[in-house]
Amino acid sequence: MTEGLRERKKRQTRQRVADAAAVLFAARGFDAVTVAEIAEAAEVSVNTVYNHFAAKEDLVLPPEETTAQHLADVVRRRGPGESAAHAVLAHLRAELGDPDRRRALTDGFGRTYRTMCSTPALTARLERLRRRMTDVLAAELRAGTGAAPDDPMPRLVATQIAAFHSLVHTEIGERVAAGQGAGEITTAVRALLDAVEELGGERFLGYAVRPG
């Protein structure tokens, strides 16, 4: 689906706020920066910041991934003949191919990676979000496949998808922290996604295929 002008403007505003926060966090530390200062740096109102981010902590997380629904939403939008794992792999590849979204990952999230790792409250929040994201995805897979309540596959597949999704963002953060450029990072992450497909078994990569 083509992104509309309104949606694009909202995404660009969200990214501008996230970028401003990343610069301030890197310079002064997470706890020393206020939301009002972030709003001023991004040239928006405080209300606009909160319209896009429910809490200051969400400004450190990858853009558009501050909700537990994220992976389930990606899987829910998969096309006919596409499995759950392939839907998430395709989504990540599409982000790397889109200049704005690639910059959000390699610049925005990358710049906040050290902040996140050095702030215990943030790492704990991210871990809770990952667990909740896995739970919501497992529920989506169970409902979508009609799996029995005692069938372990929805949980197992959701856990594996969440793991490689998290690994991609960790890889980006570490490479940005090491001073690598966007082109080098993009190449490395694409190779990582290729490796996920090569190592993934048939049951995993072929699970929850949407009927044609």
Side-chain angles (χ1 to χ4, degrees):
M1 182 180 296
T2 303
E3 184 180 38
L5 179 60
R6 182 181 179 186
E7 289 73 21
R8 184 176 183 83
K9 285 185 175 180
K10 287 176 62 177
R11 177 164 61 82
Q12 289 174 338
T13 298
R14 180 184 176 88
Q15 188 59 52
R16 187 167 73 252
V17 172
D19 287 347
V23 171
L24 291 172
F25 292 156
R28 294 164 47 198
F30 177 80
D31 292 330
V33 177
T34 68
V35 173
E37 290 171 326
I38 294 168
E40 182 179 1
E43 299 182 336
V44 299
S45 69
V46 170
N47 284 341
T48 296
V49 174
Y50 282 119
N51 284 341
H52 291 277
F53 300 91
K56 189 174 80 167
E57 289 82 0
D58 292 336
L59 284 155
V60 187
L61 302 176
E64 301 183 7
E65 300 189 21
T66 58
T67 169
Q69 297 286 337
H70 177 65
L71 288 177
D73 287 344
V74 171
V75 169
R76 198 175 294 117
R77 293 193 299 264
R78 71 193 183 281
E82 189 174 35
S83 71
H86 277 128
V88 178
L89 287 164
H91 173 77
L92 289 167
R93 287 197 173 98
E95 286 197 321
L96 290 171
D98 180 280
D100 288 342
R101 295 180 185 274
R102 181 171 62 243
R103 186 173 66 84
L105 287 171
T106 60
D107 291 354
F109 172 64
R111 282 201 302 269
T112 61
Y113 181 75
R114 285 181 177 174
T115 300
M116 184 176 65
C117 291
S118 63
T119 309
L122 292 176
T123 56
R125 183 184 178 91
L126 181 59
E127 183 55 35
R128 290 194 299 271
L129 174 62
R130 286 172 175 166
R131 288 199 299 268
R132 181 59 181 151
M133 197 178 287
T134 302
D135 291 343
V136 175
L137 177 57
E140 170 67 23
L141 293 175
R142 190 173 300 281
T145 61
D150 60 348
D151 186 344
M153 283 302 291
R155 164 63 60 179
L156 291 172
V157 172
T159 299
Q160 290 300 310
I161 289 175
F164 77 67
H165 178 263
S166 175
L167 178 60
V168 164
H169 291 96
T170 299
E171 185 79 7
I172 290 170
E174 290 179 347
R175 288 180 178 276
V176 171
Q180 293 184 12
E184 187 176 3
I185 294 170
T186 298
T187 298
V189 173
R190 282 176 174 154
L192 178 61
L193 294 174
D194 289 343
V196 170
E197 282 202 271
E198 290 173 8
L199 291 172
E202 183 179 347
R203 290 197 70 191
F204 169 60
L205 291 175
Y207 188 77
V209 173
R210 170 156 288 168

